[in-house]
Amino acid sequence: MTSGRQPRLPRPRRRRLPSPRPAATPRPVSRITGPGRGDGGRFRGRGPFRRGATRTRTRMVLAPATLLAVVCGLLLDGYLHAEVGNDARVHRSHPSRSVPDRLRHGGPVLTFDRDGRATEHSVPSRTVALTFDDGPDPRWTPEILAVLRKHDVPGTFFVVGQMVVRHPGLVRRMRQSGHEIGVHTFSHVDLSYQDTGRVDRELAQSQLALAGAASVTSSLFRAPYASEVRALDDRTWPVQRHVGAKGYLSAFVDADSEDWRRPPVKEIVQNATPDGRKGASVLFHDAGGNRSRTVKALDQYIGRMKKKGYSFTTITGALGAQSANHPAGAARVWQGRALIWAAALTQAALPCLAGLLGLVGAAVIGRLLMMVVFAWWHHCSRARRRYRVVQQVDDPVSVIVPAYNEKECIANTLTSLAASTHRIEILVVDDGSTDGTADIVEAMALPNVRVLRQQNAGKPAALNHGIAHARHDLIVMMDGDTVFEPTTVRELVRPFADVRVGAVAGNAKVGNRNRLIGAWQHIEYVMGFNLDRRMYDLLRCMPTIPGAIGAFRRRAVLDAGGMSADTLAEDTDITIALHRAGWRVVYQEHARAWTEAPGTLGQLWKQRYRWSYGTMQALWKHRRSIVDRGPSGRFGRVGMPLVVLFQIVTPLCAPLIDLFTVYGAVFLDPVRSLLAWGALMLVQLLGAAYAFRLDRERYRALLVLPLQQIAYRQLMYLVLLHSCVTAATGALLPWQKLKRTGEVDSQRARESVR
C-alpha cells in the first residue's frame, strides 16, 4: 500500500460531501499501527508522545518493576518494624533442670568452647560495665552519648538491627567515641519461642546492619527479655548454647536499673548500684520510650560511683579480652550499605505514599459521591426527561458500521439494525477485511444496506468514508460487534431536538456477561462509564462518545475536522474536538447498545491498553484547550482536569489502598486495616447499587464486586501503568485487533437481564 495524505473533509458550508478519492492513498492512521491497521503513520504531537526507540520488552519490564518496587518498599519498611508474622510472646519462668547450677549463680558473661561447655565470667570489683539496650534511638541515644562523653566513660550498646538500619549514623558515632557494640537481635523477638532458623536470621541480619552502618561485626550478644543469668531456664538455655556455638559471648547483667518502669531518678540510681565493692554489669536503656529519667539518673550514677572509687569499662574490657567488634569484610559492608540505603529510600518514600494514599482515598470517595449526586440530579432533571417524553426527532438517520474482519458479528449487528423503529440507512464500510465480511453483508440482501469497500486504512478513515457517502444529516456510528435494540436509534437522536447538541453518547452495555470477566466489565460499564457520563453530561464536559454507540450531526463533525487518525482513541478525540468547536455533547441513557466485551484477560489487556493510551494521546493533543477561551477553554479547565484526575491519576494510585490494607493486616493491626478496607468497599457497593438501579440492572451481578476490586482493579492498574510508561518512552504500540465470537445478539442480550 502506498503512503500519502488523504484529502481533508470539506468545510461546514458545503452541504454534500464529495466522493472520496481512492482508498489506496489514505491519510496515515496513527503513530501507532500494526498489521492490518494502517500504513505506519505517526502521531504528530510532541512531548511525551514523541517518537522513541525503546523496545516493547523494556516497557513490559518497567511497568511491573514499578509495582514491584513499591511492594518491596512496603515489605522492607514493615520488616524494619516487625518481621512478617512477628511473635510478640514473652516467656515466663520455667524449670531450669538443664542449666548448670554454677552458671545460674556465676558471673554475667558466658563463653562456650568447641565442645559446648560454658564458662562464666565476672566483672572485677570496683568496676562497672555500663550497658544500654534497645537502641539506637534518635531522641535519647545522643543524650546518653553526651553524658558518657561528659564523664569520659565507655559503654556497651546492645543494638537492635531494625534500629541500626533506620539510624546508622548513631552507630557510627558510638564507634567513633570508643564504645562497644553488641547484638540484641534484629527485631527484638523472644528467641525462646523461635526455631534455630529464625535465630540464625536474627543474628545474620543484625551483623549485616552493623557492617553497613559502622563497617564492623560483633561477637557480643544479649538476648531480649533475658537480662540476668539466674533467669536462665529450660527454654532459654538451648538458645544460649546455640548462639554460643556460633562464637558469641553472651552478656547478662548483675544490676538492672529497671528504668523501663520509669521509676523516680533516685530509685533508678539505687537499683543500678552494686552491693559493697562488687563489680557489676549494669543495665540501662537508650530506647523504648521516654528515657529522660534514665539520662538524669545516668549522670548522677556515674558521678556517685566515681566518688566511690569505681572505674568504668566495656564488657570485654572487664574480662581483659580484645574488643568484640571486628572489621567487616568489604562484601558484607556493601551489602549492609545497600540495605541501609534501601531503608532510607523507603523511609523517605513511605510518608509520601501515605499522604498519597489519603489523597487517593479522598479522591475515590469524592468521585463516587460526585457521580452519585450528579446522577441523581441527572435522573431528576426535567430537561433530560423532555427529550424522552415530549421531544421527537423524525429525521432519517445514516448508520455507519466500520468493519474489519467481523464475520462472526456482522450478521447479528445488521439484523438488529434492520429491526429499528426509526428510518435509517445502513452503510457498512469494509476496511480491507480478509475474512469475507463484505460478502456476508451482500449475501444478507437487507434493504437500505450499502457496502462500501476500501483498502485497509483504519477505523477513522472508514468512518470518514462512510460520512462522505451518507445521505442524511444525522449520523449514528457503531462498532461491527455491537447490536442495537429496535428503539435504540429513535432514542439516540431525540436530543437533537436541541439545535445546540452536536453529538449524543448512548448507553453501552456488556452483552456477554455470563462469565466472570464479563461480569466484571458489566459492573465497570454500569458504574464506571455510564454513571460518570451522567455527571459529565450535567457539567457539559463529556469526554468520550463510545465507539459502540454515538450519534452526530454532520455539520458538527465537519466543524471538528472529521474523524481524526492522530490517536488510538478516535472517539475521545472527536468528542473533545466537538466541545472545542462549541457543540454540546449529551448522554442519552435510554439508547442502549449491546457490545461484545473481551472474553479473556489477554484480550481485555489489549483493549484497555489501547483505550488508556489513546485517551492520553487525545488529552495531549488538545492540551491547548486549558488556556483557550470560550467553549474550548471550558472543557480544558473543567473536563480535562476531571478526566486526568479520575481516569488516570486516581486509577493509577488506587492499588495503594489494597497494598496498604495488606501492609496493615500483616505489620500493624489486621482488624482495623480490614475494617477500613471493608468500609471503603461498602461505600463502593452502595454507589454501584445506585448505578444499577438507575440502569434497571439486576443486583445479583454485584456479588462479584469484592473480587473485582481485588483482582480486576490490579489488572487495570497494570494496564494504565503500562500505558504511562509507553507514553513516557514514546514506544510504538500495535492496534491489537480483538477476537470476536458473535455470541451477542439483541434477543439474547435482553434475555440476559430479565
Side-chain angles (χ1 to χ4, degrees):
M1 181 170 60
T2 60
S3 61
R5 291 182 60 85
Q6 184 181 14
R8 293 183 177 275
L9 294 174
R11 302 311 304 168
R13 59 176 177 269
R14 300 187 61 178
R15 285 188 169 273
R16 180 71 63 179
L17 290 174
S19 299
R21 296 182 183 179
T25 59
R27 178 184 177 183
V29 177
S30 167
R31 76 173 289 274
I32 303 168
T33 58
R37 298 302 291 180
D39 64 352
R42 298 291 183 264
F43 176 70
R44 290 170 170 75
R46 296 181 179 180
F49 297 95
R50 62 190 182 277
R51 182 179 178 182
T54 305
R55 297 179 180 271
T56 301
R57 182 178 302 174
T58 302
R59 290 184 285 113
M60 295 296 291
V61 171
L62 285 176
T66 303
L67 177 61
L68 181 61
V70 175
V71 173
C72 290
L74 290 175
L75 290 175
L76 177 59
D77 184 81
Y79 186 67
L80 292 180
H81 292 83
E83 186 173 323
V84 177
N86 184 50
D87 191 345
R89 294 176 295 175
V90 178
H91 85 283
R92 297 182 179 180
S93 60
H94 285 75
S96 54
R97 291 185 291 268
S98 63
V99 184
D101 189 66
R102 60 181 177 82
L103 299 180
R104 296 182 70 247
H105 296 88
V109 182
L110 300 182
T111 58
F112 292 81
D113 59 24
R114 295 181 179 179
D115 297 327
R117 290 190 297 268
T119 304
E120 52 87 17
H121 304 271
S122 300
V123 177
S125 61
R126 291 192 178 185
T127 302
V128 170
L130 291 174
T131 66
F132 304 89
D133 284 6
D134 299 345
D137 181 271
R139 173 67 178 87
W140 302 111
T141 299
E143 295 197 24
I144 296 291
L145 291 175
V147 173
L148 297 178
R149 182 173 61 253
K150 171 185 175 182
H151 294 279
D152 192 24
V153 299
T156 302
F157 290 82
F158 289 91
V159 296
V160 177
Q162 292 175 342
M163 302 295 288
V164 172
V165 173
R166 291 154 60 185
H167 311 292
L170 293 176
V171 180
R172 286 193 290 272
R173 285 180 58 184
M174 294 174 187
R175 286 295 302 152
Q176 292 170 359
S177 299
H179 303 297
E180 192 169 48
I181 301 173
V183 173
H184 199 45
T185 72
F186 190 82
S187 59
H188 204 271
V189 66
D190 190 341
L191 299 180
S192 63
Y193 286 105
Q194 314 306 320
D195 57 24
T196 56
R198 174 69 182 272
V199 174
D200 291 342
R201 289 197 305 274
E202 291 283 331
L203 297 174
Q205 291 161 359
S206 297
Q207 298 289 7
L208 190 64
L210 287 177
S215 301
V216 298
T217 60
S218 179
S219 57
L220 193 59
F221 170 78
R222 175 176 288 167
Y225 313 108
S227 59
E228 297 181 348
V229 70
R230 63 185 179 184
L232 284 174
D233 55 34
D234 293 341
R235 291 194 65 92
T236 57
W237 178 239
V239 174
Q240 296 295 335
R241 295 188 63 183
H242 177 76
V243 173
K246 300 177 72 68
Y248 284 90
L249 285 74
S250 290
F252 296 85
V253 300
D254 295 302
D256 185 352
S257 68
E258 297 188 3
D259 58 343
W260 53 272
R261 294 193 299 107
R262 298 187 62 192
V265 172
K266 182 179 180 180
E267 186 175 339
I268 295 175
V269 174
Q270 185 61 40
N271 292 336
T273 303
D275 296 334
R277 298 181 178 181
K278 292 182 178 180
S281 170
V282 181
L283 173 61
F284 290 92
H285 292 82
D286 64 327
N290 189 327
R291 297 300 175 214
S292 59
R293 294 183 181 179
T294 300
V295 175
K296 294 179 182 178
L298 180 65
D299 189 22
Q300 295 181 16
Y301 176 77
I302 295 176
R304 177 178 176 179
M305 298 306 292
K306 280 190 172 182
K307 289 180 180 180
K308 288 186 175 183
Y310 276 78
S311 62
F312 292 85
T313 185
T314 61
I315 291 293
T316 54
L319 304 181
Q322 294 181 347
S323 172
N325 297 145
H326 317 285
R332 180 69 65 87
V333 169
W334 285 108
Q335 290 173 1
R337 288 178 180 175
L339 173 63
I340 291 173
W341 292 337
L345 179 62
T346 299
Q347 290 183 27
L350 194 64
C352 299
L353 290 177
L356 185 60
L357 174 65
L359 294 177
V360 170
V364 169
I365 296 177
R367 174 178 182 262
L368 186 59
L369 292 177
M370 285 180 61
M371 289 194 303
V372 169
V373 171
F374 278 104
W376 172 81
W377 185 5
H378 184 277
H379 180 67
C380 299
S381 173
R382 293 180 179 179
R384 302 306 167 192
R385 289 181 177 180
R386 181 177 59 186
Y387 295 136
R388 177 167 56 89
V389 179
V390 179
Q391 299 296 328
Q392 184 70 35
V393 175
D394 296 323
D395 297 350
V397 175
S398 296
V399 180
I400 302 175
V401 185
Y404 173 74
N405 289 344
E406 301 285 0
K407 68 176 182 179
E408 296 87 0
C409 310
I410 196 65
N412 290 337
T413 299
L414 296 181
T415 300
S416 70
L417 290 174
S420 176
T421 60
H422 198 91
R423 287 186 299 156
I424 62 173
E425 69 159 345
I426 305 170
L427 289 82
V428 178
V429 184
D430 184 78
D431 187 30
S433 298
T434 59
D435 65 348
T437 297
D439 298 332
I440 294 175
V441 176
E442 292 174 342
M444 294 178 69
L446 293 174
N448 297 325
V449 176
R450 285 187 287 158
V451 178
L452 306 177
R453 297 174 184 260
Q454 69 176 34
Q455 294 184 15
N456 176 244
K459 184 177 179 181
L463 292 172
N464 284 332
H465 194 179
I467 294 171
H469 287 83
R471 296 192 178 104
H472 307 303
D473 290 330
L474 297 184
I475 297 171
V476 170
M477 300 180 188
M478 64 182 299
D479 290 335
D481 62 340
T482 302
V483 297
F484 280 6
E485 296 178 356
T487 60
T488 296
V489 176
R490 181 174 297 276
E491 295 289 344
L492 188 61
V493 298
R494 279 188 174 181
F496 288 123
D498 185 344
V499 296
R500 298 171 298 174
V501 173
V504 183
N507 188 344
K509 290 183 171 295
V510 175
N512 54 332
R513 61 181 68 171
N514 295 327
R515 300 185 183 92
L516 180 61
I517 189 172
W520 285 345
Q521 293 174 85
H522 168 47
I523 296 174
E524 182 182 29
Y525 272 61
V526 174
M527 183 181 178
F529 295 161
N530 294 335
L531 192 63
D532 63 1
R533 283 196 181 103
R534 291 177 169 88
M535 175 184 71
Y536 289 125
D537 190 4
L538 288 178
L539 294 176
R540 295 174 59 185
C541 58
M542 184 83 62
T544 302
I545 298 173
I549 175 171
F552 303 82
R553 292 187 192 273
R554 178 197 297 266
R555 187 159 60 91
V557 174
L558 297 178
D559 285 348
M563 303 301 294
S564 172
D566 286 343
T567 73
L568 279 181
E570 76 288 333
D571 47 5
T572 301
D573 191 358
I574 186 64
T575 306
I576 299 177
L578 288 170
H579 283 295
R580 301 187 70 186
W583 290 95
R584 289 193 61 183
V585 180
V586 301
Y587 173 59
Q588 175 58 296
E589 60 186 285
H590 302 288
R592 291 182 290 268
W594 302 86
T595 187
E596 180 179 335
T600 65
L601 291 178
Q603 295 289 305
L604 178 63
W605 178 283
K606 292 179 181 179
Q607 183 194 67
R608 299 311 169 85
Y609 189 17
R610 177 169 57 84
W611 284 7
S612 59
Y613 186 67
T615 299
M616 294 178 191
Q617 284 183 305
L619 295 175
W620 181 258
K621 176 182 177 180
H622 296 282
R623 63 192 182 278
R624 291 292 302 175
S625 63
I626 297 177
V627 296
D628 285 346
R629 296 181 179 180
S632 178
R634 173 181 173 78
F635 177 83
R637 289 184 287 274
V638 178
M640 191 170 292
L642 289 177
V643 174
V644 172
L645 177 62
F646 291 150
Q647 296 188 23
I648 297 178
V649 177
T650 300
L652 191 64
C653 300
L656 286 175
I657 298 174
D658 302 312
L659 289 176
F660 272 88
T661 299
V662 175
Y663 174 85
V666 174
F667 297 111
L668 304 176
D669 188 337
V671 176
R672 293 180 60 184
S673 299
L674 294 177
L675 285 177
W677 186 85
L680 181 60
M681 183 64 60
L682 178 61
V683 172
Q684 291 182 313
L685 179 61
L686 294 176
Y690 183 67
F692 270 59
R693 178 185 176 185
L694 292 179
D695 265 21
R696 298 180 180 180
E697 294 284 355
R698 302 183 66 173
Y699 295 122
R700 67 180 183 182
L702 295 178
L703 293 175
V704 299
L705 179 63
L707 186 59
Q708 183 206 44
Q709 295 298 304
I710 296 174
Y712 188 79
R713 184 165 63 185
Q714 312 312 320
L715 177 65
M716 293 300 99
Y717 161 77
L718 289 175
V719 169
L720 188 57
L721 181 60
H722 197 180
S723 301
C724 291
V725 173
T726 303
T729 59
L732 301 181
L733 174 67
W735 177 269
Q736 306 183 84
K737 163 72 178 173
L738 302 181
K739 286 186 176 182
R740 299 303 183 188
T741 64
E743 61 181 311
V744 178
D745 62 48
S746 57
Q747 179 65 24
R748 279 182 291 184
R750 289 193 297 271
E751 291 177 352
S752 68
V753 297
R754 288 176 182 172

